[in-house]
């Protein structure tokens, strides 16, 4: 469904751009081919609201990945273990989460969840959540975005008073702080 919406949105956008180009006033002098080829592409500006949503969505995805890694797989006796599909120990867990969390959070987060106890070859995980509230239970209407947000840093607070900070690293938002 999301792929269909994305494709439909791209189609509408391309039609709008084409329509705007066709409806503009015509210049009587034809531009030279060299001028047309050398024109630099226009940079698209993204609104702060869109950037804020990217930071919020990145935080939600990061939380989903934490749940997947530490609260989904169970041992034969029913205890939660590190999900062996994604990681087997602290280092591989950090590597897995590094696509969603800033390096400054990885040690604290992984050390909170992975215990020294094992069930067979798998490490048991801490049942207590690292997070004070569940961002997955929030709606975007319940989020208050910081007025000082920028294109590279998005900070927001949930209705429960938990503040998330996401920062752009390599054109992707990563969670850098939760308090």
């Amino acid at each position: 469904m999301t792929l269909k919406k994305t494709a439909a949105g791209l189609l509408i956008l391309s039609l709008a751009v084409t329509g705007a180009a066709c409806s503009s006033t015509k210049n009587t002098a034809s531009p030279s081919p060299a001028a047309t080829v050398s024109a630099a592409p226009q940079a698209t500006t993204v609104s702060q609201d869109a950037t804020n949503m990217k930071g919020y969505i990145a935080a939600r995805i990061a939380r989903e990945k934490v749940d997947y890694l530490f609260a989904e797989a169970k041992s034969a006796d029913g205890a939660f273990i590190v999900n062996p599909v994604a990681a087997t120990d602290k280092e591989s867990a950090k590597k897995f989460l590094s696509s969603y969390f800033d390096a400054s959070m990885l040690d604290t987060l992984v050390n909170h969840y992975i215990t020294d106890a094992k069930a067979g070859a798998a490490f048991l995980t801490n049942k207590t959540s690292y997070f004070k509230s569940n961002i997955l239970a929030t709606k975007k209407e319940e989020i208050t975005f910081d007025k000082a947000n920028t294109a590279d840093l998005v900070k927001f607070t949930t209705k429960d008073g938990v503040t998330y900070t996401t920062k752009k690293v390599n054109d992707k938002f990563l969670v850098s702080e939760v308090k």
Side-chain angles (χ1 to χ4, degrees):
M1 187 68 160
T2 303
L3 185 57
K4 288 181 183 178
K5 287 181 180 179
T6 303
L10 289 173
L11 178 62
I12 291 170
L13 180 62
S14 64
L15 289 173
V17 169
T18 304
C22 291
S23 68
S24 64
T25 58
K26 293 185 179 185
N27 188 352
T28 56
S30 156
S32 69
T36 304
V37 171
S38 65
Q42 295 285 332
T44 57
T45 54
V46 178
S47 73
Q48 189 59 51
D49 288 340
T51 301
N52 288 347
M53 285 309 297
K54 287 180 183 180
Y56 171 65
I57 291 168
R60 289 178 61 91
I61 291 170
R63 176 58 194 269
E64 287 175 346
K65 296 304 177 180
V66 165
D67 288 351
Y68 171 74
L69 187 59
F70 301 122
E72 191 170 290
K74 292 184 178 182
S75 66
D77 65 352
F80 284 109
I81 58 172
V82 175
N83 193 331
V85 173
T88 56
D89 58 13
K90 288 184 180 185
E91 288 308 311
S92 59
K94 284 189 239 179
K95 184 177 180 185
F96 176 78
L97 292 174
S98 68
S99 296
Y100 310 99
F101 290 92
D102 186 58
S104 63
M105 279 193 70
L106 289 175
D107 282 332
T108 305
L109 191 61
V110 169
N111 288 335
H112 172 82
Y113 280 104
I114 299 180
T115 68
D116 292 331
K118 286 187 164 188
F123 284 98
L124 295 176
T125 60
N126 186 353
K127 295 176 188 174
T128 306
S129 179
Y130 172 84
F131 303 95
K132 296 175 188 170
S133 69
N134 188 354
I135 191 172
L136 300 175
T138 64
K139 298 175 188 165
K140 67 180 182 178
E141 297 82 19
E142 300 169 334
I143 300 298
T144 304
F145 291 100
D146 194 315
K147 294 190 186 318
N149 286 348
T150 66
D152 296 326
L153 183 79
V154 173
K155 191 173 188 178
F156 61 89
T157 305
T158 66
K159 66 179 181 175
D160 301 328
V162 178
T163 301
Y164 287 78
T165 303
T166 61
K167 68 179 185 178
K168 191 181 271 188
V169 177
N170 298 328
D171 207 34
K172 181 178 179 181
F173 279 97
L174 302 178
V175 178
S176 61
E177 186 177 57
V178 179
K179 54 180 181 172

